[in-house]
Amino acid sequence: MSFATVVYSKDFPLLELQALSFARFVDPDIVSSIHVIMNDSDEDSLRAKIEPLLASYGPLRSKVQVLGGDELLLQPGQYARRPLVDRILIENRFRIPGIRRQGWRGANGYRSQQFLKLGAARVASSENMVIMDTKNIFLRSFDPAEFFADSGAARIAFMAIQSDFHRKWLTESLDALGASGIDLKGLRTTTFATPFAMRRSLALALLDEINERYGSVQGLFGSRRRPSEFMLLNAYCLKSSDGYAPWFEDRAQCNIGLWPSYSPETLASQLAMLDDPSALTLGLHNRALSLLPDNLRDLVFSELESRGVCDRSRAEKVLNRAATLTG
């Protein structure tokens, strides 16, 4: 299996907790590669901050490689066309005062993290891939069969289309691939949360189609269209005669997520899932943690310590460091 995590200068300290959880729970024999992909306009500075954290991967350190966005997006064969407008407004956006942002080459970081996740397929060392965010921390050991069936299909939870943003992401993605006529009534798609298991060949096929239509994946995401990375994968499956079957298998997975937009009640219910032995990962957004009452904050730190990820003082240090970056 190959793993990829897109890292941004505003959340990079969280990579330390993820790396510690890899060292604690992930068998080196099942790992082909781990790519830490920088999503930042100042990659040299971010790389200098990331490098000291890599020792936390322990026995997996030799399988970890830190890459910049250019290595996924601008190498020969990774794009079909680079029009002048793309070179100016996407590749050299960091040179333009007033519109420069903090993501790859001055792009919007939220948008660029999405196309970098798709681009990770170009450097993965195996067909089976898992895309992660820096906030994802493993809570236990696992077998590769939890992520991939014998047939090769990625095992991931499917869900009904209930929220407006889910519907919009999917409709925009279908439209981007010329499949806007698909009926969404009663349709279930994969989740759009990380960890996200996928097959490398699916992502590469999708990238080839995007290149044919838009010149490059960054060209699509830099346009006025608003697809999402994971709904584009769904759209590719939905427009194909084979559908989801070769690529995804509906399989529930217990991944806990703490988000700052959650109510106190929702945060408490999410943390109650720590009692479930099947809980695989904890999505630990540092701003969400600051919203927790002291007893629930203590629960998070106690869990990380009791599971052998790290002691409380180290977790607090990491999260406090991240909090100073995000405000």
Side-chain angles (χ1 to χ4, degrees), residues 136-155:
N136 300 132
I137 302 169
F138 285 112
L139 295 174
R140 61 171 175 80
S141 301
F142 60 88
D143 187 278
E146 292 188 53
F147 284 107
F148 293 94
D150 290 341
S151 66
R155 287 175 161 162

PDB file of all heavy atoms in Angstrom, residues 136-155:
ATOM      1  N   ASN A 136      -5.314  13.193  10.345  1.00  0.00           N
ATOM      2  CA  ASN A 136      -5.692  11.795  10.555  1.00  0.00           C
ATOM      3  C   ASN A 136      -4.630  11.058  11.363  1.00  0.00           C
ATOM      4  O   ASN A 136      -3.453  11.017  10.979  1.00  0.00           O
ATOM      5  CB  ASN A 136      -5.882  11.072   9.222  1.00  0.00           C
ATOM      6  CG  ASN A 136      -6.956  11.697   8.353  1.00  0.00           C
ATOM      7  OD1 ASN A 136      -6.750  11.931   7.167  1.00  0.00           O
ATOM      8  ND2 ASN A 136      -8.117  11.964   8.931  1.00  0.00           N
ATOM      9  N   ILE A 137      -5.029  10.462  12.475  1.00  0.00           N
ATOM     10  CA  ILE A 137      -4.136   9.717  13.361  1.00  0.00           C
ATOM     11  C   ILE A 137      -4.664   8.288  13.489  1.00  0.00           C
ATOM     12  O   ILE A 137      -5.845   8.093  13.806  1.00  0.00           O
ATOM     13  CB  ILE A 137      -4.084  10.364  14.762  1.00  0.00           C
ATOM     14  CG1 ILE A 137      -3.631  11.821  14.661  1.00  0.00           C
ATOM     15  CG2 ILE A 137      -3.159   9.581  15.694  1.00  0.00           C
ATOM     16  CD1 ILE A 137      -3.821  12.592  15.963  1.00  0.00           C
ATOM     17  N   PHE A 138      -3.819   7.303  13.243  1.00  0.00           N
ATOM     18  CA  PHE A 138      -4.240   5.919  13.431  1.00  0.00           C
ATOM     19  C   PHE A 138      -4.409   5.613  14.914  1.00  0.00           C
ATOM     20  O   PHE A 138      -3.624   6.066  15.750  1.00  0.00           O
ATOM     21  CB  PHE A 138      -3.216   4.954  12.825  1.00  0.00           C
ATOM     22  CG  PHE A 138      -3.261   4.886  11.323  1.00  0.00           C
ATOM     23  CD1 PHE A 138      -2.213   5.385  10.563  1.00  0.00           C
ATOM     24  CD2 PHE A 138      -4.348   4.330  10.679  1.00  0.00           C
ATOM     25  CE1 PHE A 138      -2.255   5.324   9.182  1.00  0.00           C
ATOM     26  CE2 PHE A 138      -4.407   4.268   9.287  1.00  0.00           C
ATOM     27  CZ  PHE A 138      -3.348   4.770   8.533  1.00  0.00           C
ATOM     28  N   LEU A 139      -5.449   4.820  15.206  1.00  0.00           N
ATOM     29  CA  LEU A 139      -5.758   4.458  16.593  1.00  0.00           C
ATOM     30  C   LEU A 139      -5.451   3.002  16.907  1.00  0.00           C
ATOM     31  O   LEU A 139      -5.475   2.596  18.066  1.00  0.00           O
ATOM     32  CB  LEU A 139      -7.239   4.725  16.882  1.00  0.00           C
ATOM     33  CG  LEU A 139      -7.682   6.185  16.834  1.00  0.00           C
ATOM     34  CD1 LEU A 139      -9.204   6.271  16.983  1.00  0.00           C
ATOM     35  CD2 LEU A 139      -6.994   7.010  17.922  1.00  0.00           C
ATOM     36  N   ARG A 140      -5.193   2.218  15.886  1.00  0.00           N
ATOM     37  CA  ARG A 140      -4.920   0.790  16.086  1.00  0.00           C
ATOM     38  C   ARG A 140      -4.237   0.237  14.846  1.00  0.00           C
ATOM     39  O   ARG A 140      -4.174   0.887  13.799  1.00  0.00           O
ATOM     40  CB  ARG A 140      -6.218   0.019  16.355  1.00  0.00           C
ATOM     41  CG  ARG A 140      -7.231   0.097  15.221  1.00  0.00           C
ATOM     42  CD  ARG A 140      -8.391  -0.853  15.420  1.00  0.00           C
ATOM     43  NE  ARG A 140      -9.425  -0.702  14.409  1.00  0.00           N
ATOM     44  CZ  ARG A 140      -9.378  -1.221  13.192  1.00  0.00           C
ATOM     45  NH1 ARG A 140      -8.319  -1.946  12.815  1.00  0.00           N
ATOM     46  NH2 ARG A 140     -10.380  -1.031  12.334  1.00  0.00           N
ATOM     47  N   SER A 141      -3.769  -0.999  14.979  1.00  0.00           N
ATOM     48  CA  SER A 141      -3.220  -1.704  13.827  1.00  0.00           C
ATOM     49  C   SER A 141      -4.350  -2.148  12.910  1.00  0.00           C
ATOM     50  O   SER A 141      -5.518  -2.212  13.317  1.00  0.00           O
ATOM     51  CB  SER A 141      -2.419  -2.924  14.287  1.00  0.00           C
ATOM     52  OG  SER A 141      -1.360  -2.541  15.143  1.00  0.00           O
ATOM     53  N   PHE A 142      -4.026  -2.464  11.676  1.00  0.00           N
ATOM     54  CA  PHE A 142      -5.046  -2.874  10.713  1.00  0.00           C
ATOM     55  C   PHE A 142      -4.433  -3.809   9.684  1.00  0.00           C
ATOM     56  O   PHE A 142      -3.216  -3.856   9.487  1.00  0.00           O
ATOM     57  CB  PHE A 142      -5.663  -1.656  10.014  1.00  0.00           C
ATOM     58  CG  PHE A 142      -4.666  -0.817   9.255  1.00  0.00           C
ATOM     59  CD1 PHE A 142      -4.357  -1.092   7.928  1.00  0.00           C
ATOM     60  CD2 PHE A 142      -4.019   0.237   9.884  1.00  0.00           C
ATOM     61  CE1 PHE A 142      -3.420  -0.329   7.245  1.00  0.00           C
ATOM     62  CE2 PHE A 142      -3.075   1.008   9.198  1.00  0.00           C
ATOM     63  CZ  PHE A 142      -2.785   0.721   7.878  1.00  0.00           C
ATOM     64  N   ASP A 143      -5.322  -4.553   9.041  1.00  0.00           N
ATOM     65  CA  ASP A 143      -4.932  -5.432   7.945  1.00  0.00           C
ATOM     66  C   ASP A 143      -5.250  -4.718   6.636  1.00  0.00           C
ATOM     67  O   ASP A 143      -6.259  -4.009   6.555  1.00  0.00           O
ATOM     68  CB  ASP A 143      -5.718  -6.749   8.041  1.00  0.00           C
ATOM     69  CG  ASP A 143      -5.238  -7.768   7.029  1.00  0.00           C
ATOM     70  OD1 ASP A 143      -5.673  -7.679   5.861  1.00  0.00           O
ATOM     71  OD2 ASP A 143      -4.450  -8.655   7.391  1.00  0.00           O
ATOM     72  N   PRO A 144      -4.440  -4.879   5.592  1.00  0.00           N
ATOM     73  CA  PRO A 144      -4.748  -4.230   4.307  1.00  0.00           C
ATOM     74  C   PRO A 144      -6.140  -4.556   3.779  1.00  0.00           C
ATOM     75  O   PRO A 144      -6.725  -3.769   3.036  1.00  0.00           O
ATOM     76  CB  PRO A 144      -3.664  -4.767   3.376  1.00  0.00           C
ATOM     77  CG  PRO A 144      -2.512  -5.084   4.279  1.00  0.00           C
ATOM     78  CD  PRO A 144      -3.145  -5.578   5.547  1.00  0.00           C
ATOM     79  N   ALA A 145      -6.683  -5.718   4.194  1.00  0.00           N
ATOM     80  CA  ALA A 145      -8.015  -6.113   3.728  1.00  0.00           C
ATOM     81  C   ALA A 145      -9.101  -5.167   4.230  1.00  0.00           C
ATOM     82  O   ALA A 145     -10.215  -5.160   3.696  1.00  0.00           O
ATOM     83  CB  ALA A 145      -8.325  -7.542   4.175  1.00  0.00           C
ATOM     84  N   GLU A 146      -8.812  -4.364   5.245  1.00  0.00           N
ATOM     85  CA  GLU A 146      -9.785  -3.370   5.686  1.00  0.00           C
ATOM     86  C   GLU A 146      -9.933  -2.255   4.657  1.00  0.00           C
ATOM     87  O   GLU A 146     -10.961  -1.575   4.608  1.00  0.00           O
ATOM     88  CB  GLU A 146      -9.375  -2.778   7.039  1.00  0.00           C
ATOM     89  CG  GLU A 146      -9.458  -3.765   8.190  1.00  0.00           C
ATOM     90  CD  GLU A 146      -9.247  -3.102   9.534  1.00  0.00           C
ATOM     91  OE1 GLU A 146      -9.953  -2.115   9.822  1.00  0.00           O
ATOM     92  OE2 GLU A 146      -8.363  -3.566  10.288  1.00  0.00           O
ATOM     93  N   PHE A 147      -8.910  -2.074   3.841  1.00  0.00           N
ATOM     94  CA  PHE A 147      -8.939  -1.023   2.828  1.00  0.00           C
ATOM     95  C   PHE A 147      -9.176  -1.548   1.407  1.00  0.00           C
ATOM     96  O   PHE A 147      -9.704  -0.821   0.568  1.00  0.00           O
ATOM     97  CB  PHE A 147      -7.615  -0.248   2.843  1.00  0.00           C
ATOM     98  CG  PHE A 147      -7.484   0.722   3.980  1.00  0.00           C
ATOM     99  CD1 PHE A 147      -6.640   0.449   5.053  1.00  0.00           C
ATOM    100  CD2 PHE A 147      -8.173   1.927   3.976  1.00  0.00           C
ATOM    101  CE1 PHE A 147      -6.489   1.358   6.094  1.00  0.00           C
ATOM    102  CE2 PHE A 147      -8.039   2.837   5.018  1.00  0.00           C
ATOM    103  CZ  PHE A 147      -7.201   2.559   6.079  1.00  0.00           C
ATOM    104  N   PHE A 148      -8.786  -2.795   1.135  1.00  0.00           N
ATOM    105  CA  PHE A 148      -8.886  -3.309  -0.229  1.00  0.00           C
ATOM    106  C   PHE A 148      -9.354  -4.766  -0.234  1.00  0.00           C
ATOM    107  O   PHE A 148      -8.849  -5.598   0.520  1.00  0.00           O
ATOM    108  CB  PHE A 148      -7.539  -3.206  -0.950  1.00  0.00           C
ATOM    109  CG  PHE A 148      -7.113  -1.787  -1.195  1.00  0.00           C
ATOM    110  CD1 PHE A 148      -6.285  -1.138  -0.296  1.00  0.00           C
ATOM    111  CD2 PHE A 148      -7.559  -1.088  -2.300  1.00  0.00           C
ATOM    112  CE1 PHE A 148      -5.906   0.185  -0.491  1.00  0.00           C
ATOM    113  CE2 PHE A 148      -7.193   0.226  -2.512  1.00  0.00           C
ATOM    114  CZ  PHE A 148      -6.363   0.862  -1.606  1.00  0.00           C
ATOM    115  N   ALA A 149     -10.337  -5.051  -1.119  1.00  0.00           N
ATOM    116  CA  ALA A 149     -10.867  -6.394  -1.285  1.00  0.00           C
ATOM    117  C   ALA A 149      -9.898  -7.228  -2.120  1.00  0.00           C
ATOM    118  O   ALA A 149      -9.007  -6.699  -2.793  1.00  0.00           O
ATOM    119  CB  ALA A 149     -12.226  -6.329  -1.982  1.00  0.00           C
ATOM    120  N   ASP A 150     -10.095  -8.542  -2.105  1.00  0.00           N
ATOM    121  CA  ASP A 150      -9.262  -9.425  -2.919  1.00  0.00           C
ATOM    122  C   ASP A 150      -9.366  -9.082  -4.402  1.00  0.00           C
ATOM    123  O   ASP A 150      -8.415  -9.279  -5.167  1.00  0.00           O
ATOM    124  CB  ASP A 150      -9.671 -10.892  -2.710  1.00  0.00           C
ATOM    125  CG  ASP A 150      -9.290 -11.409  -1.326  1.00  0.00           C
ATOM    126  OD1 ASP A 150      -8.416 -10.787  -0.684  1.00  0.00           O
ATOM    127  OD2 ASP A 150      -9.864 -12.421  -0.886  1.00  0.00           O
ATOM    128  N   SER A 151     -10.506  -8.564  -4.807  1.00  0.00           N
ATOM    129  CA  SER A 151     -10.715  -8.181  -6.205  1.00  0.00           C
ATOM    130  C   SER A 151      -9.904  -6.952  -6.597  1.00  0.00           C
ATOM    131  O   SER A 151      -9.760  -6.643  -7.783  1.00  0.00           O
ATOM    132  CB  SER A 151     -12.198  -7.873  -6.442  1.00  0.00           C
ATOM    133  OG  SER A 151     -12.590  -6.714  -5.696  1.00  0.00           O
ATOM    134  N   GLY A 152      -9.387  -6.242  -5.591  1.00  0.00           N
ATOM    135  CA  GLY A 152      -8.654  -5.013  -5.832  1.00  0.00           C
ATOM    136  C   GLY A 152      -9.465  -3.765  -5.550  1.00  0.00           C
ATOM    137  O   GLY A 152      -8.914  -2.663  -5.454  1.00  0.00           O
ATOM    138  N   ALA A 153     -10.787  -3.901  -5.423  1.00  0.00           N
ATOM    139  CA  ALA A 153     -11.639  -2.739  -5.171  1.00  0.00           C
ATOM    140  C   ALA A 153     -11.302  -2.112  -3.816  1.00  0.00           C
ATOM    141  O   ALA A 153     -11.051  -2.822  -2.834  1.00  0.00           O
ATOM    142  CB  ALA A 153     -13.109  -3.136  -5.203  1.00  0.00           C
ATOM    143  N   ALA A 154     -11.274  -0.791  -3.781  1.00  0.00           N
ATOM    144  CA  ALA A 154     -11.029  -0.076  -2.525  1.00  0.00           C
ATOM    145  C   ALA A 154     -12.275  -0.151  -1.659  1.00  0.00           C
ATOM    146  O   ALA A 154     -13.385   0.148  -2.118  1.00  0.00           O
ATOM    147  CB  ALA A 154     -10.679   1.374  -2.810  1.00  0.00           C
ATOM    148  N   ARG A 155     -12.116  -0.538  -0.426  1.00  0.00           N
ATOM    149  CA  ARG A 155     -13.235  -0.635   0.512  1.00  0.00           C
ATOM    150  C   ARG A 155     -13.398   0.700   1.221  1.00  0.00           C
ATOM    151  O   ARG A 155     -12.489   1.191   1.899  1.00  0.00           O
ATOM    152  CB  ARG A 155     -12.977  -1.756   1.516  1.00  0.00           C
ATOM    153  CG  ARG A 155     -13.134  -3.128   0.876  1.00  0.00           C
ATOM    154  CD  ARG A 155     -12.786  -4.257   1.795  1.00  0.00           C
ATOM    155  NE  ARG A 155     -13.375  -5.506   1.314  1.00  0.00           N
ATOM    156  CZ  ARG A 155     -12.988  -6.729   1.694  1.00  0.00           C
ATOM    157  NH1 ARG A 155     -12.002  -6.853   2.577  1.00  0.00           N
ATOM    158  NH2 ARG A 155     -13.586  -7.789   1.205  1.00  0.00           N
TER     159      ARG A 155
END
